Amino acid sequence: MLRRKARRAQEDDDPLDAAQERRVRAVLALGGVPQADLPDGVQQVRLRLLERAASGREAPRDVSAWAAVVASNLAMDWHRARRRQERLGERLAALRRQEHPSGEDTSVLSLAVAQGLDELPDSQRQVLVLRFYADLPVRSIADELGIPEGTVKSRLHTAVRALRVRLHQNEVV
């Protein structure tokens, strides 16, 4: 009895009804998102709708259409991330085919990168770490830090350039 009441209360708080959820799943699936990732995609749409409400913005005029557009964007993001991972895998495979550096070489590189990160301004180091170590997309970094995506991109560009200069000055790369 209590479980049914709790489930009903949870369903009442759900920003997507069953038909909207089916539509979101269909858009994600037609967008090429694998079946195993569909529940995560639906949750992302729910989260964005809840975040919109929590930020004080009014609800979309047509929640079903809004959710479908968000799902379509998520599907595109999924494909971009997959392509990025594939390119990264190809680059790593190419590096593995080259002569493997000694343990000493990798230690020197790790130390130089750590020192280079320490020398970056906090704002640049933060976006660099979130992007390349935490593997967050630019949009998520911007949302989390409350800054425009362009600012994230600019800081990333400046930080990568400064780190590259530092590594070349030290003749590490």
Side-chain angles (χ1 to χ4, degrees):
M1 182 77 166
L2 276 173
R3 285 187 184 165
R4 264 190 252 144
K5 285 184 181 179
R7 193 176 308 131
R8 257 195 312 253
Q10 183 181 7
E11 289 170 1
D12 291 342
D13 293 339
D14 193 345
L16 294 177
D17 64 27
Q20 292 164 337
E21 182 176 337
R22 282 191 303 277
R23 185 175 189 185
V24 165
R25 282 180 174 277
V27 168
L28 289 169
L30 291 171
V33 175
Q35 194 72 26
D37 292 337
L38 292 181
D40 289 338
V42 173
Q43 286 301 91
Q44 281 291 326
V45 172
R46 277 192 180 97
L47 178 63
R48 291 190 184 174
L49 189 56
L50 291 170
E51 286 173 340
R52 180 184 177 107
S55 70
R57 291 183 285 170
E58 64 184 55
R61 188 174 311 137
D62 182 353
V63 174
S64 186
W66 180 90
V69 169
V70 171
S72 176
N73 290 338
L74 286 171
M76 287 190 306
D77 290 346
W78 182 87
H79 284 290
R80 286 185 194 118
R82 192 184 79 205
R83 280 194 304 268
R84 195 170 39 247
Q85 286 297 110
E86 287 171 356
R87 286 192 307 265
L88 179 61
E90 290 167 4
R91 288 182 8 218
L92 287 173
L95 288 173
R96 286 187 188 118
R97 283 190 296 266
Q98 295 175 356
E99 186 177 323
H100 293 289
S102 69
E104 183 178 318
D105 290 343
T106 57
S107 296
V108 169
L109 179 60
S110 296
L111 182 60
V113 169
Q115 288 173 340
L117 285 172
D118 285 343
E119 293 174 2
L120 290 174
D122 291 341
S123 59
Q124 291 176 8
R125 181 174 48 272
Q126 183 180 37
V127 296
L128 191 112
V129 167
L130 289 172
R131 178 67 190 102
F132 295 110
Y133 288 93
D135 198 31
L136 293 179
V138 170
R139 175 182 285 167
S140 296
I141 296 169
D143 290 345
E144 290 300 316
L145 299 179
I147 58 176
E149 287 183 42
T151 302
V152 172
K153 291 175 184 178
S154 173
R155 288 178 185 174
L156 276 172
H157 176 77
T158 305
V160 168
R161 188 177 57 211
L163 192 56
R164 184 177 296 130
V165 166
R166 165 86 173 153
L167 294 175
H168 282 291
Q169 284 174 345
N170 292 344
E171 297 179 0
V172 176
V173 290

